[in-house]
Amino acid sequence: MSGDTTGQPQDDCLFCKIVAGEIPATLVRETETTVAFRDINPQAPTHVLVIPKAHHKDAAALAAADPALTADVLRETAAVAEQEQLESYRTVFNTGAGAGQTVWHAHAHVIGGRGLQWPPG
Ligand code: AMP
Ligand code: ZN
């Protein structure tokens, strides 16, 4: 199940399939532990997802299981912003269905390239 937090690839997980190269994605960056790729339904001129290669169901599970990997993801969000030349941007971890999470593999959205309102909806 993709809800497992074992760090192992999950057969039914879309983002594990992107990590494995089984589903195409437009890669922006890759490190030993993370992948960054363009969101298929962008909400801003730049909308990139940064994911750990290891499967964790959400940001809370990732942080609990692997603080170093959590730091890798956060560092990569900044690297994406720099690479995309974003002066301002938003890093979002939707956690739980009520917050809009639809893919149960931890991911950070890096959104920028336009003005962003606060508070978010
Ligand atoms: P969330 O709603 O926070 O779980 O974010 C999941 C994101 O994944 C959404 O913004 C989707 O547009 C995006 N997404 C879904 N499928 C793909 C895909 N195959 N390639 C890139 N992004 C995707
Ligand atoms: Zn996964």
Side-chain angles (χ1 to χ4, degrees):
M1 283 177 48
S2 55
D4 291 345
T5 57
T6 59
Q8 299 305 311
Q10 305 292 310
D11 289 342
D12 59 350
C13 175
L14 176 66
F15 288 176
C16 282
K17 289 183 174 145
I18 287 177
V19 171
E22 294 167 9
I23 289 178
T26 305
L27 293 197
V28 173
R29 294 178 56 83
E30 182 171 10
T31 70
E32 197 175 319
T33 58
T34 66
V35 182
F37 53 93
R38 297 203 186 277
D39 197 292
I40 203 168
N41 183 24
Q43 301 301 311
T46 291
H47 188 168
V48 173
L49 302 176
V50 179
I51 68 171
K53 288 183 176 175
H55 179 94
H56 299 276
K57 70 172 182 175
D58 59 27
L62 169 63
D66 197 334
L69 182 56
T70 309
D72 290 348
V73 170
L74 191 56
R75 193 181 308 110
E76 277 300 299
T77 67
V80 166
E82 185 176 0
Q83 188 171 309
E84 296 280 310
Q85 299 182 302
L86 300 177
E87 285 183 21
S88 302
Y89 62 97
R90 190 167 292 162
T91 302
V92 177
F93 292 91
N94 293 325
T95 305
Q101 187 176 0
T102 59
V103 177
W104 302 92
H105 179 131
H107 52 279
H109 298 254
V110 180
I111 299 167
R114 66 167 170 81
L116 298 169
Q117 303 302 310
W118 191 262

